[in-house]
Coordinates of all heavy atoms in Angstrom, one line a residue:
M300 N 0.8 -1.2 0.0 CA 0.0 0.0 0.0 C 0.9 1.2 0.0 O 1.8 1.4 0.8 CB -0.9 0.0 1.2 CG -1.8 1.2 1.4 SD -2.8 1.0 2.8 CE -4.2 1.8 2.3
A301 N 0.6 2.2 -0.9 CA 1.4 3.4 -1.0 C 1.0 4.4 0.0 O -0.2 4.5 0.4 CB 1.2 4.0 -2.4
D302 N 2.0 5.2 0.5 CA 1.7 6.3 1.5 C 1.4 7.5 0.7 O 2.2 8.1 0.0 CB 2.9 6.5 2.3 CG 2.7 7.6 3.3 OD1 1.6 8.1 3.4 OD2 3.7 8.0 4.0
D303 N 0.1 7.9 0.7 CA -0.3 9.1 -0.1 C -0.6 10.3 0.8 O -1.3 11.2 0.4 CB -1.5 8.8 -1.0 CG -2.7 8.4 -0.2 OD1 -2.6 8.2 1.0 OD2 -3.8 8.2 -0.8
S304 N 0.0 10.3 2.0 CA -0.2 11.4 2.9 C 0.6 12.6 2.4 O 1.6 12.5 1.7 CB 0.2 11.1 4.3 OG 1.6 10.7 4.4
T305 N 0.2 13.8 2.8 CA 0.9 15.0 2.4 C 1.3 15.8 3.7 O 0.8 15.6 4.8 CB 0.0 16.0 1.6 OG1 -1.2 16.3 2.3 CG2 -0.4 15.3 0.3
T306 N 2.3 16.7 3.5 CA 2.8 17.5 4.5 C 3.1 18.9 3.9 O 3.2 19.0 2.7 CB 4.0 16.9 5.2 OG1 4.3 17.7 6.4 CG2 5.2 16.9 4.3
T307 N 3.2 19.9 4.7 CA 3.5 21.2 4.2 C 4.9 21.5 4.7 O 5.2 21.4 5.9 CB 2.6 22.3 4.8 OG1 1.3 22.0 4.3 CG2 3.0 23.7 4.3
I308 N 5.8 21.8 3.8 CA 7.2 22.2 4.1 C 7.3 23.7 3.9 O 6.8 24.3 2.9 CB 8.2 21.5 3.2 CG1 8.1 20.0 3.3 CG2 9.6 22.0 3.5 CD1 8.5 19.4 4.6
S309 N 7.9 24.4 4.8 CA 8.0 25.9 4.7 C 9.5 26.3 5.0 O 10.2 25.6 5.7 CB 7.2 26.6 5.8 OG 5.8 26.3 5.6
A310 N 9.9 27.4 4.4 CA 11.2 27.9 4.5 C 11.2 29.5 4.4 O 10.3 30.0 3.7 CB 12.1 27.4 3.5
T311 N 12.1 30.1 5.1 CA 12.2 31.6 4.9 C 13.5 31.9 4.2 O 14.5 31.2 4.3 CB 12.1 32.3 6.3 OG1 13.2 31.8 7.1 CG2 10.8 32.1 7.0
F312 N 13.4 33.1 3.5 CA 14.5 33.5 2.7 C 14.7 35.0 2.9 O 13.8 35.8 3.1 CB 14.3 33.3 1.2 CG 14.2 31.8 0.9 CD1 13.0 31.1 1.0 CD2 15.3 31.1 0.5 CE1 12.9 29.8 0.7 CE2 15.2 29.7 0.3 CZ 14.0 29.1 0.4
Q313 N 16.0 35.4 2.8 CA 16.3 36.8 3.0 C 15.9 37.7 1.9 O 15.6 38.9 2.1 CB 17.8 37.0 3.3 CG 18.2 38.4 3.7 CD 19.7 38.4 4.1 OE1 20.5 37.6 3.7 NE2 20.1 39.4 4.8
T314 N 15.9 37.2 0.6 CA 15.6 38.0 -0.5 C 14.5 37.3 -1.4 O 14.4 36.1 -1.4 CB 16.8 38.2 -1.4 OG1 17.3 37.0 -1.9 CG2 17.9 38.9 -0.6
R315 N 13.8 38.1 -2.2 CA 12.9 37.5 -3.1 C 13.6 36.7 -4.2 O 13.1 35.7 -4.6 CB 12.0 38.7 -3.8 CG 11.0 38.2 -4.8 CD 10.0 37.3 -4.1 NE 9.2 36.6 -5.1 CZ 7.9 36.5 -5.1 NH1 7.2 37.0 -4.2 NH2 7.3 35.9 -6.1
Q316 N 14.8 37.1 -4.5 CA 15.5 36.4 -5.5 C 15.9 35.0 -5.0 O 15.7 34.0 -5.8 CB 16.8 37.2 -5.8 CG 17.7 36.6 -6.9 CD 18.9 37.4 -7.2 OE1 19.3 38.3 -6.3 NE2 19.5 37.2 -8.3
A317 N 16.2 34.8 -3.8 CA 16.5 33.5 -3.2 C 15.2 32.7 -3.2 O 15.2 31.5 -3.5 CB 17.1 33.6 -1.8
A318 N 14.1 33.3 -2.8 CA 12.8 32.6 -2.8 C 12.4 32.1 -4.2 O 12.0 31.0 -4.3 CB 11.7 33.5 -2.2
D319 N 12.6 33.0 -5.2 CA 12.3 32.6 -6.6 C 13.2 31.4 -7.0 O 12.7 30.5 -7.7 CB 12.5 33.7 -7.5 CG 11.4 34.8 -7.4 OD1 10.3 34.5 -6.8 OD2 11.6 35.9 -7.8
L320 N 14.4 31.4 -6.6 CA 15.3 30.3 -7.0 C 14.9 29.0 -6.3 O 14.8 27.9 -6.9 CB 16.8 30.6 -6.6 CG 17.8 29.5 -6.9 CD1 17.9 29.3 -8.3 CD2 19.2 30.0 -6.3
A321 N 14.5 29.1 -5.1 CA 14.0 27.9 -4.3 C 12.7 27.4 -5.0 O 12.6 26.1 -5.1 CB 13.7 28.3 -2.9
I322 N 11.8 28.2 -5.5 CA 10.6 27.8 -6.2 C 11.0 27.0 -7.4 O 10.4 26.0 -7.7 CB 9.7 29.0 -6.5 CG1 9.2 29.6 -5.2 CG2 8.6 28.6 -7.4 CD1 8.5 30.9 -5.3
E323 N 11.9 27.5 -8.2 CA 12.4 26.8 -9.4 C 12.9 25.5 -9.1 O 12.7 24.5 -9.8 CB 13.4 27.7 -10.2 CG 12.7 28.9 -10.8 CD 11.5 28.6 -11.7 OE1 11.5 27.6 -12.5 OE2 10.5 29.2 -11.5
H324 N 13.7 25.4 -8.0 CA 14.2 24.1 -7.6 C 13.1 23.1 -7.2 O 13.1 21.9 -7.6 CB 15.1 24.2 -6.4 CG 16.5 24.7 -6.7 ND1 17.4 24.0 -7.5 CD2 17.1 25.9 -6.3 CE1 18.5 24.7 -7.6 NE2 18.4 25.9 -6.9
L325 N 12.1 23.6 -6.5 CA 10.9 22.8 -6.1 C 10.2 22.2 -7.4 O 9.9 21.0 -7.4 CB 9.9 23.5 -5.3 CG 10.4 23.9 -3.9 CD1 9.3 24.8 -3.2 CD2 10.7 22.7 -3.0
V326 N 10.0 23.1 -8.4 CA 9.3 22.7 -9.6 C 10.2 21.7 -10.4 O 9.8 20.7 -10.8 CB 8.9 23.9 -10.4 CG1 8.4 23.5 -11.8 CG2 7.9 24.7 -9.6
Q327 N 11.4 22.2 -10.7 CA 12.3 21.5 -11.7 C 12.9 20.2 -11.1 O 13.1 19.2 -11.8 CB 13.3 22.4 -12.2 CG 12.7 23.5 -13.1 CD 13.7 24.5 -13.6 OE1 14.9 24.3 -13.5 NE2 13.2 25.7 -14.0
Q328 N 13.4 20.3 -9.8 CA 14.1 19.1 -9.3 C 13.3 18.2 -8.5 O 13.6 17.0 -8.4 CB 15.3 19.6 -8.4 CG 16.3 20.4 -9.1 CD 17.4 20.9 -8.2 OE1 17.3 20.9 -7.0 NE2 18.5 21.4 -8.8
H329 N 12.1 18.7 -8.0 CA 11.3 17.8 -7.2 C 9.9 17.5 -7.8 O 9.1 16.8 -7.2 CB 11.1 18.4 -5.8 CG 12.4 18.6 -5.0 ND1 13.1 17.5 -4.5 CD2 13.2 19.6 -4.8 CE1 14.2 17.9 -4.0 NE2 14.3 19.2 -4.1
G330 N 9.7 18.2 -8.9 CA 8.4 17.9 -9.6 C 7.2 18.4 -8.9 O 6.1 17.9 -9.2
I331 N 7.3 19.4 -8.1 CA 6.1 19.9 -7.4 C 5.4 20.9 -8.3 O 6.0 21.8 -8.9 CB 6.6 20.6 -6.1 CG1 7.3 19.6 -5.2 CG2 5.4 21.3 -5.4 CD1 8.0 20.2 -4.0
S332 N 4.1 20.7 -8.3 CA 3.3 21.6 -9.2 C 3.2 23.0 -8.6 O 3.1 23.2 -7.4 CB 1.9 21.0 -9.2 OG 1.0 21.8 -10.0
R333 N 3.3 24.0 -9.5 CA 3.3 25.4 -9.1 C 2.0 25.7 -8.2 O 2.2 26.5 -7.3 CB 3.4 26.3 -10.3 CG 4.8 26.3 -10.8 CD 5.0 27.4 -11.9 NE 6.2 27.2 -12.6 CZ 7.4 27.7 -12.2 NH1 7.4 28.4 -11.1 NH2 8.5 27.4 -12.9
P334 N 0.8 25.2 -8.5 CA -0.3 25.6 -7.6 C -0.2 25.0 -6.2 O -0.9 25.5 -5.3 CB -1.5 24.9 -8.3 CG -1.1 24.8 -9.8 CD 0.4 24.5 -9.7
D335 N 0.8 24.2 -6.0 CA 1.0 23.6 -4.6 C 2.1 24.4 -3.9 O 2.5 24.0 -2.8 CB 1.4 22.1 -4.7 CG 0.3 21.3 -5.2 OD1 -0.9 21.7 -4.9 OD2 0.5 20.3 -5.8
I336 N 2.6 25.5 -4.5 CA 3.7 26.3 -3.9 C 3.1 27.7 -3.5 O 2.4 28.3 -4.4 CB 4.9 26.5 -4.8 CG1 5.4 25.1 -5.1 CG2 5.9 27.4 -4.2 CD1 6.5 25.1 -6.2
F337 N 3.4 28.2 -2.3 CA 2.8 29.4 -1.9 C 4.0 30.4 -1.4 O 4.9 29.9 -0.8 CB 1.9 29.2 -0.7 CG 0.8 28.1 -1.0 CD1 1.1 26.8 -0.7 CD2 -0.3 28.5 -1.7 CE1 0.2 25.8 -1.0 CE2 -1.2 27.5 -2.0 CZ -1.0 26.2 -1.7
V338 N 3.8 31.7 -1.7 CA 4.8 32.7 -1.3 C 4.1 33.8 -0.6 O 3.1 34.3 -1.1 CB 5.5 33.2 -2.6 CG1 6.6 34.2 -2.2 CG2 6.1 32.1 -3.4
Q339 N 4.7 34.2 0.5 CA 4.1 35.3 1.3 C 5.2 35.9 2.2 O 6.2 35.4 2.4 CB 2.9 34.8 2.1 CG 3.4 33.8 3.2 CD 2.2 33.3 4.0 OE1 1.1 33.3 3.6 NE2 2.5 32.7 5.1
S340 N 4.8 37.0 2.8 CA 5.7 37.7 3.7 C 5.7 36.8 5.0 O 4.7 36.2 5.4 CB 5.1 39.0 4.1 OG 5.8 39.6 5.2
A341 N 6.9 36.7 5.6 CA 6.9 35.9 6.8 C 6.4 36.6 8.0 O 6.2 36.0 9.1 CB 8.4 35.5 7.1
S342 N 6.0 37.9 7.9 CA 5.5 38.7 8.9 C 4.2 39.3 8.4 O 3.7 39.0 7.3 CB 6.4 39.8 9.4 OG 6.6 40.7 8.4
D343 N 3.6 40.2 9.2 CA 2.4 40.8 8.8 C 2.6 42.1 7.9 O 1.7 42.8 7.6 CB 1.5 41.2 10.0 CG 2.2 42.1 11.0 OD1 3.4 42.4 10.8 OD2 1.5 42.6 11.9
R344 N 3.9 42.4 7.6 CA 4.2 43.5 6.8 C 4.5 43.2 5.3 O 5.0 42.1 5.1 CB 5.4 44.2 7.4 CG 5.2 44.7 8.8 CD 6.3 45.4 9.4 NE 6.5 46.7 8.6 CZ 7.6 47.4 8.7 NH1 8.6 47.1 9.5 NH2 7.7 48.5 8.0
N345 N 4.1 44.0 4.4 CA 4.5 43.9 3.0 C 6.0 43.9 2.9 O 6.6 44.8 3.4 CB 3.8 44.9 2.2 CG 4.0 44.8 0.7 OD1 4.2 43.6 0.2 ND2 4.1 45.9 0.0
T346 N 6.6 43.0 2.2 CA 8.0 43.0 2.1 C 8.5 42.3 0.8 O 7.8 41.5 0.2 CB 8.6 42.3 3.3 OG1 10.1 42.4 3.2 CG2 8.3 40.8 3.3
A347 N 9.7 42.7 0.4 CA 10.3 42.1 -0.8 C 11.6 41.4 -0.3 O 12.5 41.0 -1.0 CB 10.7 43.2 -1.8
G348 N 11.6 41.1 1.0 CA 12.8 40.5 1.7 C 13.4 41.4 2.7 O 12.9 42.5 3.0
S349 N 14.5 41.0 3.2 CA 15.2 41.8 4.2 C 16.5 42.4 3.7 O 17.2 43.1 4.5 CB 15.4 41.0 5.5 OG 16.2 39.9 5.2
A350 N 16.8 42.1 2.5 CA 18.0 42.7 1.8 C 17.8 42.9 0.4 O 17.0 42.2 -0.3 CB 19.2 41.7 2.0
P351 N 18.4 44.0 -0.2 CA 18.2 44.2 -1.6 C 18.7 43.0 -2.5 O 19.7 42.4 -2.1 CB 19.1 45.5 -1.9 CG 19.4 46.0 -0.6 CD 19.3 44.9 0.4
S352 N 18.1 42.8 -3.6 CA 18.5 41.7 -4.5 C 17.9 42.1 -5.9 O 17.0 42.9 -6.0 CB 18.0 40.4 -4.1 OG 16.6 40.2 -4.1
G353 N 18.4 41.4 -6.9 CA 17.9 41.6 -8.2 C 17.9 43.0 -8.7 O 18.9 43.7 -8.5
G354 N 16.8 43.5 -9.2 CA 16.7 44.9 -9.7 C 16.9 45.9 -8.6 O 17.3 47.0 -8.9
D355 N 16.6 45.6 -7.4 CA 16.7 46.5 -6.3 C 18.2 46.8 -6.0 O 18.6 47.8 -5.5 CB 16.1 46.0 -5.0 CG 14.6 45.9 -5.1 OD1 14.0 46.6 -5.9 OD2 14.0 45.1 -4.3
A356 N 19.1 45.8 -6.3 CA 20.5 46.0 -5.9 C 21.4 46.4 -7.1 O 22.5 46.8 -6.8 CB 21.0 44.6 -5.3
S357 N 20.9 46.4 -8.3 CA 21.7 46.5 -9.4 C 21.6 47.9 -10.1 O 21.7 48.1 -11.3 CB 21.4 45.5 -10.5 OG 20.1 45.6 -10.9
R358 N 21.4 48.9 -9.3 CA 21.4 50.3 -9.8 C 22.7 51.0 -9.7 O 23.5 50.7 -8.8 CB 20.3 51.1 -9.0 CG 18.9 50.5 -9.1 CD 17.9 51.2 -8.3 NE 17.9 52.6 -8.4 CZ 17.1 53.3 -9.2 NH1 16.2 52.6 -10.0 NH2 17.1 54.6 -9.3
D359 N 23.0 51.8 -10.7 CA 24.3 52.5 -10.7 C 24.6 53.3 -9.5 O 25.7 53.4 -9.0 CB 24.3 53.5 -11.9 CG 24.4 52.7 -13.3 OD1 24.8 51.5 -13.3 OD2 23.9 53.3 -14.3
E360 N 23.5 53.9 -8.9 CA 23.7 54.8 -7.7 C 23.6 54.0 -6.4 O 23.4 54.6 -5.4 CB 22.8 56.0 -7.7 CG 21.3 55.7 -7.8 CD 20.8 55.5 -9.3 OE1 21.6 55.6 -10.2 OE2 19.6 55.2 -9.4
G361 N 23.6 52.7 -6.5 CA 23.4 51.8 -5.3 C 22.1 51.2 -5.2 O 21.2 51.4 -6.1
A362 N 21.8 50.5 -4.1 CA 20.5 49.8 -3.9 C 19.4 50.8 -3.8 O 19.5 51.9 -3.3 CB 20.6 48.9 -2.7
R363 N 18.3 50.4 -4.4 CA 17.1 51.2 -4.3 C 16.7 51.4 -2.8 O 16.8 50.4 -2.0 CB 15.9 50.6 -5.0 CG 16.0 50.6 -6.5 CD 14.9 50.0 -7.2 NE 13.6 50.6 -6.7 CZ 12.5 50.4 -7.3 NH1 12.4 49.5 -8.2 NH2 11.4 50.9 -6.8
R364 N 16.2 52.5 -2.4 CA 15.8 52.7 -1.1 C 14.3 52.7 -0.9 O 13.8 52.8 0.2 CB 16.3 54.1 -0.6 CG 17.8 54.2 -0.8 CD 18.5 55.0 0.3 NE 19.8 55.4 0.1 CZ 20.8 54.5 -0.1 NH1 20.6 53.3 -0.2 NH2 22.1 55.0 -0.2
D365 N 13.5 52.5 -2.0 CA 12.1 52.5 -1.9 C 11.5 51.1 -1.9 O 10.3 51.0 -1.7 CB 11.4 53.3 -3.0 CG 11.7 52.8 -4.4 OD1 12.7 52.0 -4.5 OD2 11.0 53.1 -5.3
A366 N 12.3 50.1 -1.9 CA 11.8 48.7 -1.9 C 11.4 48.4 -0.5 O 12.0 48.8 0.5 CB 12.9 47.8 -2.3
P367 N 10.3 47.7 -0.3 CA 9.8 47.4 1.1 C 10.6 46.2 1.7 O 10.2 45.1 1.6 CB 8.3 47.0 0.8 CG 8.3 46.5 -0.6 CD 9.3 47.3 -1.3
L368 N 11.8 46.5 2.2 CA 12.6 45.5 2.9 C 12.3 45.5 4.3 O 12.9 46.0 5.2 CB 14.1 45.9 2.6 CG 14.5 46.0 1.2 CD1 16.0 46.4 1.1 CD2 14.3 44.7 0.5
A369 N 11.2 44.8 4.6 CA 10.6 44.8 6.0 C 10.6 43.4 6.6 O 10.0 43.2 7.7 CB 9.2 45.3 6.0
G370 N 11.3 42.4 6.0 CA 11.3 41.1 6.6 C 11.6 40.0 5.6 O 11.8 40.3 4.4
E371 N 11.5 38.8 6.1 CA 11.8 37.7 5.2 C 10.6 37.2 4.4 O 9.5 37.6 4.6 CB 12.3 36.5 6.1 CG 13.5 36.8 6.9 CD 13.8 35.9 8.0 OE1 13.0 35.0 8.3 OE2 14.9 36.0 8.7
I372 N 10.9 36.4 3.4 CA 9.9 35.9 2.5 C 9.7 34.4 2.9 O 10.7 33.7 3.1 CB 10.4 35.9 1.0 CG1 10.8 37.3 0.6 CG2 9.4 35.3 0.1 CD1 9.6 38.3 0.5
E373 N 8.5 34.0 2.9 CA 8.2 32.6 3.3 C 7.7 31.8 2.0 O 6.8 32.3 1.3 CB 7.2 32.5 4.4 CG 6.8 31.0 4.8 CD 5.8 31.0 5.9 OE1 5.9 31.7 6.9 OE2 4.9 30.2 5.7
V374 N 8.3 30.7 1.8 CA 7.9 29.8 0.7 C 7.4 28.5 1.3 O 8.1 28.0 2.2 CB 9.0 29.5 -0.3 CG1 8.6 28.4 -1.3 CG2 9.5 30.8 -1.0
S375 N 6.2 28.1 1.0 CA 5.7 26.8 1.5 C 5.2 26.0 0.3 O 4.8 26.5 -0.7 CB 4.7 27.0 2.6 OG 3.6 27.7 2.1
A376 N 5.2 24.7 0.5 CA 4.7 23.8 -0.5 C 4.0 22.6 0.2 O 4.5 22.0 1.2 CB 5.9 23.3 -1.4
D377 N 2.9 22.2 -0.4 CA 2.2 20.9 0.0 C 2.8 19.8 -0.9 O 2.7 19.9 -2.1 CB 0.7 21.1 -0.3 CG 0.1 22.1 0.6 OD1 0.6 22.4 1.7 OD2 -0.9 22.7 0.2
I378 N 3.4 18.9 -0.2 CA 4.1 17.8 -0.9 C 3.7 16.4 -0.3 O 3.2 16.3 0.8 CB 5.6 18.0 -0.8 CG1 6.1 17.9 0.7 CG2 6.1 19.3 -1.4 CD1 7.6 17.7 0.9
A379 N 4.1 15.4 -1.1 CA 3.9 14.0 -0.6 C 4.9 13.9 0.6 O 6.1 14.3 0.5 CB 4.2 13.0 -1.7
S380 N 4.5 13.3 1.7 CA 5.3 13.1 2.8 C 6.6 12.4 2.5 O 7.6 12.6 3.1 CB 4.5 12.3 3.9 OG 3.5 13.1 4.4
S381 N 6.6 11.5 1.5 CA 7.8 10.8 1.2 C 8.9 11.7 0.6 O 10.0 11.3 0.5 CB 7.4 9.7 0.2 OG 6.9 10.2 -1.0
Q382 N 8.5 12.9 0.1 CA 9.5 13.8 -0.4 C 10.1 14.8 0.6 O 11.0 15.6 0.3 CB 8.8 14.7 -1.5 CG 8.4 14.0 -2.8 CD 7.8 15.0 -3.7 OE1 6.7 15.5 -3.5 NE2 8.5 15.4 -4.7
A383 N 9.6 14.7 1.8 CA 9.9 15.7 2.8 C 11.4 15.9 3.0 O 11.9 17.1 3.0 CB 9.2 15.4 4.2
A384 N 12.2 14.9 3.2 CA 13.6 15.0 3.5 C 14.3 15.6 2.3 O 15.1 16.5 2.5 CB 14.2 13.6 3.9
A385 N 14.0 15.2 1.1 CA 14.7 15.7 -0.1 C 14.3 17.2 -0.3 O 15.2 18.0 -0.6 CB 14.4 14.9 -1.3
V386 N 13.1 17.5 -0.1 CA 12.7 18.9 -0.3 C 13.3 19.8 0.8 O 13.8 20.9 0.5 CB 11.1 19.0 -0.3 CG1 10.7 20.5 -0.2 CG2 10.5 18.4 -1.5
K387 N 13.4 19.4 2.0 CA 14.0 20.2 3.1 C 15.5 20.4 2.7 O 16.0 21.6 2.8 CB 13.9 19.5 4.4 CG 12.6 19.6 5.1 CD 12.6 18.9 6.4 CE 11.3 19.0 7.1 NZ 11.3 18.3 8.4
R388 N 16.2 19.4 2.3 CA 17.6 19.6 1.8 C 17.7 20.6 0.7 O 18.6 21.4 0.7 CB 18.2 18.2 1.4 CG 18.8 17.4 2.5 CD 19.6 16.3 2.0 NE 19.0 15.5 1.0 CZ 18.1 14.5 1.3 NH1 17.8 14.2 2.5 NH2 17.6 13.8 0.3
G389 N 16.8 20.4 -0.3 CA 16.8 21.3 -1.5 C 16.6 22.8 -1.1 O 17.3 23.7 -1.6
L390 N 15.7 23.0 -0.2 CA 15.4 24.4 0.3 C 16.6 25.0 1.0 O 17.0 26.1 0.8 CB 14.1 24.4 1.1 CG 12.8 24.2 0.4 CD1 11.7 24.0 1.4 CD2 12.5 25.4 -0.5
A391 N 17.2 24.1 1.8 CA 18.4 24.6 2.6 C 19.6 24.9 1.6 O 20.2 25.9 1.7 CB 18.9 23.5 3.6
E392 N 19.7 24.1 0.6 CA 20.8 24.3 -0.4 C 20.5 25.6 -1.3 O 21.4 26.2 -1.8 CB 20.9 23.1 -1.3 CG 21.5 21.9 -0.6 CD 21.4 20.6 -1.4 OE1 20.9 20.6 -2.6 OE2 21.8 19.6 -0.9
A393 N 19.2 25.9 -1.4 CA 18.8 27.1 -2.2 C 19.0 28.4 -1.3 O 18.7 29.5 -1.8 CB 17.4 27.0 -2.6
G394 N 19.4 28.3 -0.1 CA 19.7 29.4 0.7 C 18.7 29.8 1.8 O 18.6 30.9 2.3
A395 N 17.8 28.8 2.2 CA 16.8 29.1 3.2 C 17.5 29.4 4.5 O 18.5 28.8 4.9 CB 15.9 27.8 3.4
L396 N 16.9 30.3 5.2 CA 17.4 30.7 6.6 C 16.9 29.7 7.6 O 17.6 29.3 8.5 CB 16.9 32.1 7.0 CG 17.4 33.2 6.0 CD1 16.7 34.5 6.4 CD2 18.9 33.4 6.1
R397 N 15.6 29.2 7.4 CA 15.0 28.2 8.3 C 14.1 27.4 7.4 O 13.5 27.9 6.5 CB 14.2 28.9 9.4 CG 15.0 29.6 10.5 CD 14.1 30.3 11.5 NE 13.3 31.4 10.9 CZ 13.8 32.6 10.5 NH1 15.1 32.8 10.5 NH2 13.0 33.5 10.0
V398 N 14.0 26.1 7.8 CA 13.2 25.1 7.1 C 12.4 24.3 8.1 O 13.0 23.9 9.1 CB 14.0 24.2 6.2 CG1 13.0 23.2 5.5 CG2 14.8 24.9 5.2
W399 N 11.1 24.2 8.0 CA 10.3 23.4 8.9 C 9.1 22.7 8.2 O 8.8 23.1 7.1 CB 9.8 24.2 10.1 CG 8.8 25.3 9.7 CD1 7.5 25.2 9.8 CD2 9.1 26.6 9.2 NE1 6.9 26.3 9.4 CE2 7.8 27.2 9.1 CE3 10.2 27.3 8.9 CZ2 7.7 28.5 8.6 CZ3 10.1 28.6 8.4 CH2 8.9 29.2 8.3
S400 N 8.5 21.8 8.9 CA 7.3 21.1 8.3 C 6.2 21.2 9.3 O 6.4 21.3 10.5 CB 7.6 19.7 7.9 OG 8.0 18.9 9.0
R401 N 5.0 21.1 8.8 CA 3.8 21.0 9.7 C 2.8 20.1 9.1 O 2.8 19.8 8.0 CB 3.2 22.4 10.0 CG 3.0 23.2 8.7 CD 2.4 24.5 9.0 NE 2.3 25.2 7.7 CZ 2.8 26.4 7.5 NH1 3.3 27.1 8.4 NH2 2.7 26.9 6.3

């Protein structure tokens, strides 16, 4: 009998760029469907991360100062329980600050 139980794996990232990279790893390396992946602020504030990245960091005059850098980005995914260990490792390798399951 196959184990078809699911679990939610979550991770926080310092930048939106790191969160986007983690999402691509979930989709491409672990075969997780995009509708099963969720992205949100890790706090109650609107944020693009806690550090400049991507377009916010690549300006000639320095990092943009108007980006909402108010906290971390949380990525979570509903996955088959059998994938939990591999997905946790993948998120950590993608730069997650913290990884947990519920």
Side-chain angles (χ1 to χ4, degrees):
M300 178 179 213
D302 178 9
D303 60 354
S304 62
T305 61
T306 191
T307 300
I308 302 292
S309 301
T311 56
F312 296 87
Q313 186 175 21
T314 65
R315 179 61 193 228
Q316 184 176 20
D319 287 343
L320 179 62
I322 292 166
E323 290 308 311
H324 283 296
L325 292 174
V326 171
Q327 295 176 15
Q328 294 178 349
H329 299 285
I331 298 170
S332 178
R333 288 186 191 275
D335 293 328
I336 301 171
F337 309 93
V338 181
Q339 65 184 16
S340 171
S342 70
D343 60 351
R344 299 184 65 194
N345 182 31
T346 185
S349 57
S352 68
D355 293 336
S357 62
R358 298 175 53 93
D359 292 335
E360 57 274 1
R363 289 180 56 173
R364 303 213 191 304
D365 62 341
L368 300 176
E371 298 166 355
I372 305 292
E373 181 179 315
V374 174
S375 59
D377 295 333
I378 63 167
S380 294
S381 61
Q382 291 181 288
V386 169
K387 284 181 179 181
R388 272 192 313 275
L390 289 169
E392 290 169 2
L396 300 171
R397 285 176 298 290
V398 180
W399 68 95
S400 61
R401 52 180 175 232

